[in-house]
Amino acid sequence: SEQRAFFGITPDSVSVAQSLQLVHPEDRAHSEIAMRRSHDPAGDGGFDIEHRVITKDGSVRWLRARAQTYFEGEGAARKGVRTVGATVDITDLKQVEIDLRIKDNALESWVRGVLIIGLTGKITYANPAWLKMHGYDSVDEVLGTSPFDYVMGPDQHALIRESLQRTGSWTGELVARRRNGTVFDAALSTNSVT
């Protein structure tokens, strides 16, 4: 009954064709193939799909639908006897995924070097600009290393750490180290994000 209310349909039985009309046109063919496959006696009866639907009020929502069709009989006599499933509205989750993808693309394309340091104090992300600036070809070469491996001078390390612990940020100039051991002057702005 919750699904019927969500879609704005009556309690009467809804056919596969009617159900598919609720699916967003761009997702309809994929959904139909998955639905028909789950009802095919030659298959395993599984159905697990994410797709958009258009609700009665015209809004677009993302759903995750999972179902299992159970069959009886063997060979040509095998037929579906029952389908049990659930549908969850994942619209908010999809929006978060889209937002994260946009942020990821922004970090990847930014012309300034960006590092993300995990809770262990090790690098978990370096954008292409940072890699180029420091002479690395692949992010795999720096993941799991300390950001201080790329900053010259223990005094500088201590100053940055103290400021991060005290105020949650540090901005200043430092001497950075490239992969080949050469150094360059760099401006750094770092913030603790929790």
Side-chain angles (χ1 to χ4, degrees):
S1 65
E2 283 182 42
Q3 282 187 328
R4 288 189 182 104
F6 179 82
F7 291 113
I9 56 178
T10 63
D12 302 334
S13 174
V14 177
S15 70
V16 170
Q18 289 170 318
S19 296
L20 287 171
Q21 289 306 307
L22 302 171
V23 176
H24 192 282
E26 293 175 12
D27 298 341
R28 199 170 289 150
H30 176 65
S31 296
E32 181 175 11
I33 290 167
M35 189 179 295
R36 293 199 186 283
R37 187 180 305 128
S38 74
H39 291 100
D40 182 354
D44 66 2
F47 180 79
D48 188 349
I49 189 171
E50 292 180 2
H51 61 89
R52 292 167 291 175
V53 295
I54 301 172
T55 63
K56 187 176 180 180
D57 69 6
S59 62
V60 175
R61 306 292 295 175
W62 275 94
L63 300 181
R64 168 119 190 244
R66 296 180 76 179
Q68 181 65 49
T69 297
Y70 296 92
F71 300 95
E72 286 184 355
E74 298 294 326
R78 183 176 159 138
K79 64 179 182 173
V81 293
R82 180 180 63 170
T83 299
V84 177
T87 303
V88 178
D89 184 344
I90 59 168
T91 305
D92 293 341
L93 177 61
K94 281 296 187 181
Q95 188 59 55
V96 168
E97 287 177 10
I98 291 166
D99 292 346
L100 286 173
R101 197 170 319 121
I102 290 168
K103 289 174 186 171
D104 188 52
N105 289 338
L107 286 173
E108 286 290 311
S109 62
W110 205 17
V111 295
R112 293 185 181 204
V114 176
L115 282 182
I116 296 178
I117 313 306
L119 296 175
T120 62
K122 303 297 183 185
I123 296 172
T124 60
Y125 172 84
N127 77 341
W130 189 94
L131 294 171
K132 183 177 180 181
M133 180 184 314
H134 288 80
Y136 288 90
D137 300 317
S138 167
V139 70
D140 294 331
E141 298 174 87
V142 299
L143 292 180
T145 64
S146 169
F148 293 109
D149 292 347
Y150 311 97
V151 176
M152 296 296 292
D155 291 344
Q156 195 76 53
H157 298 186
L159 181 67
I160 295 169
R161 281 190 175 106
E162 179 187 319
S163 181
L164 283 171
Q165 289 174 351
R166 191 171 26 84
T167 66
S169 67
W170 184 84
T171 301
E173 294 181 2
L174 52 78
V175 178
R177 180 183 305 131
R178 290 187 185 94
R179 176 184 186 180
N180 65 8
T182 60
V183 296
F184 63 99
D185 293 329
L188 175 67
S189 180
T190 183
N191 295 287
S192 294
V193 180
T194 57

